[in-house]
Structures are given as C-alpha cells and as structure tokens.
Amino acid sequence: MLDFSRLTWPEIKDTIPRLDALLLPLGSIEQHGFHLPVNNDYYTARELAGIIQKKGEEEGLTLAVSFSLPVGCSHHHMAFPGTVSLSEETFSQVLGEILESYNQHGIRRVFIVNGHGGNAPGIEKALIKAREDGTWDMLEPFHYWDTFKEKGSEILESGHYFHACEGETSLALALKQRVLMEKAVNSLEENADLKRLNILEMEDIFVPPFHHLTKSGVIGNSKAADKEKGEKLIEIITSEAVKVIKENLVLNGKTAG
Ligand SMILES: [Zn+2]
C-alpha cells in the first residue's frame, strides 16, 4: 500500500507529481458498545482507505493513503469512558490546517474517507473554507455509509444501520478489527423506538446524547453481524469510492489510467 506515513520526504516528493488523489482517513475515539474498541471509526476509515488505494491501483490510478486523524467530534458519546472529543470548531481548524499543509507541497486532490457521522458538519466547514483559495482540483468528502443506503437493507437483516450496529460490526469483522462478538447486543429489541434512528432511511444524521437512548452504547442489532455481510458492504463502499475519484478526475480534465 502506498502509505505516506511510511515514506521518507524524498519518496513523497517523487510521488506527488504522479498522484491522482491522496486519501485522508478521518475517524473518532468513541464508545462502540460492549463489543468494539473505541478506535473503531478511525480503524475502519484507515482500512477502507487501504482497500480503496489498492482497488484504484488495479484500475490505473495512483492513490496514496495519508496518516489518519484519529480524533473527531464525539460530544454525544461523552457519557461513556474512553471517548475523546474535539469541538466542531477545533476539528475543522485542524482538518483545514492538514489540508493546507498538503496543499503547500503541491497536492491538489484529496479524497476524505470519513469514518464517523459526527464529523460531517466539521468537514463541511473546513472544506468550504479551504476551497476559497481556488487552488484545489478535488476536495471530496466521502461518508462511506452513504454508498449502501439502497443495498444495505438487502444485506442487513435488521434493515437498519446506526451505531456499533449489525453493519458497522460486520465491517469490523471483515476488516479484522478486535470484536468481542459474545458481548454484542440487540438494542432494537430493548427499545423499539431506536429503529427510527436509521441511516439507511435518514437524510440528515441526527446525533442524540447516546446515554439517554442506550445502556450499552449500541444503536442497532450487533448480534446479527457477520464477516460476509461486511465483505459485501466493503465491495460496495470501495467500488463507489474509486468510481467517484475517477469521475472527479475526468471532470478536472485529467484522464485516469
Ligand atoms: Zn462508528
């Protein structure tokens, strides 16, 4: 995998002129129920970015993966120990300065692989500001769950996706995350109202303080997770990512491959 954080500066300097896009994984440090570690969102974003990088390479693209920003906006999970959160203002400032740094080295195309819904408003804010200088050819946010809004209800037997749920846990299993399946719960069974918090059906992601809604921190049926479902989701996510990057390159007059 072409991973900037493992390269020397001369190697990065040589890569930049032929780079089609830099993949920047963003995550969060927050509770994911009794069964997933707090690093889950950045772990997922980083692993997905690695698969997107390889898939892009197979299709003639030169993509590289940036280090990932592990901390995001997780104020709605703060009642659970181990959660670490930045304010939206700080998060968007940090993201803006990371982008500015890459821009100074001549990188003009960044594809943001976002692993956490709560980061979306801060990303939007940072991108609006970054685009003001007009130097970017691609500054694309990619919220991976948006790619399976249609097919997700066929793949996931709960027909539901929200947090540390069937889908997110299936992804974690397929990506070889540390998963304590024996501690997985079905919080939709405990509280049927939670079914309404469903990313597969919602336009905007509403982020309530989680401890008001769930004891475990899970919103979904994590018990129904398995590796095969995760693999199906990964295929949808990564194919869509490569497609979006290619479309962007064509839009900007750069022919891929
Ligand atoms: Zn998550």
Side-chain angles (χ1 to χ4, degrees):
M1 197 223 305
L2 193 53
D3 176 356
F4 265 19
S5 45
R6 295 181 58 81
L7 298 185
T8 63
W9 74 259
E11 288 170 328
I12 293 176
K13 189 179 176 211
D14 289 345
T15 307
I16 289 173
R18 58 188 176 87
L19 192 63
D20 288 314
L22 181 66
L23 310 172
L24 174 61
L26 300 180
S28 74
I29 298 291
E30 68 181 30
Q31 71 82 15
H32 274 77
F34 301 143
H35 68 295
L36 287 171
V38 293
N39 78 346
N40 194 61
D41 289 345
Y42 94 74
Y43 181 91
T44 302
R46 180 148 182 97
E47 293 300 306
L48 288 175
I51 300 170
I52 294 165
Q53 195 275 332
K54 281 187 206 135
K55 215 182 183 73
E57 206 170 70
E58 285 162 17
E59 298 191 25
L61 298 177
T62 304
L63 306 175
V65 180
S66 160
F67 76 95
S68 51
L69 181 58
V71 193
C73 303
S74 302
H75 50 276
H76 47 294
H77 293 282
M78 280 309 291
F80 297 86
T83 300
V84 175
S85 184
L86 299 176
S87 68
E88 195 177 298
E89 202 186 351
T90 304
F91 173 78
S92 73
Q93 181 78 18
V94 171
L95 175 56
E97 291 184 23
I98 291 169
L99 293 171
E100 213 176 283
S101 304
Y102 282 134
N103 190 285
Q104 275 188 37
H105 305 308
I107 292 169
R108 299 288 178 260
R109 287 179 295 273
V110 172
F111 187 77
I112 294 174
V113 182
N114 181 28
H116 171 54
N119 292 344
I123 293 173
E124 198 54 39
K125 210 186 242 179
L127 296 191
I128 288 170
K129 200 168 166 228
R131 286 188 187 115
E132 278 172 6
D133 72 7
T135 59
W136 292 97
D137 292 330
M138 179 202 297
L139 212 42
E140 185 76 24
F142 180 74
H143 310 291
Y144 71 75
W145 48 89
D146 284 345
T147 62
F148 53 78
K149 283 201 168 184
E150 268 175 46
K151 287 197 182 139
S153 42
E154 291 166 28
I155 297 168
L156 304 170
E157 59 199 76
S158 58
H160 175 275
Y161 192 101
F162 203 76
H163 182 74
C165 53
E166 181 185 355
E168 194 173 8
T169 307
S170 296
L171 282 171
L173 287 167
L175 295 170
K176 301 188 173 71
Q177 166 67 299
R178 177 170 182 250
V179 186
L180 310 177
M181 265 320 272
E182 70 282 7
K183 301 204 169 167
V185 300
N186 179 5
S187 65
L188 304 179
E189 215 167 49
E190 294 158 19
N191 177 358
D193 278 353
L194 294 181
K195 274 191 187 141
R196 278 183 289 173
L197 292 171
N198 186 357
I199 283 173
L200 302 179
E201 288 167 4
M202 290 160 85
E203 273 303 310
D204 292 310
I205 301 173
F206 165 65
V207 278
F210 270 51
H211 61 293
H212 292 162
L213 303 168
T214 159
K215 266 192 192 139
S216 59
V218 171
I219 296 186
N221 180 9
S222 51
K223 277 179 161 175
D226 69 40
K227 189 175 150 232
E228 287 67 35
K229 291 171 188 165
E231 283 164 355
K232 284 180 190 163
L233 295 176
I234 290 169
E235 180 53 35
I236 296 172
I237 295 164
T238 55
S239 301
E240 182 63 21
V242 171
K243 191 178 140 217
V244 172
I245 294 168
K246 279 188 166 174
E247 283 168 0
N248 248 287
L249 290 172
V250 172
L251 269 180
N252 289 295
K254 191 174 185 304
T255 326

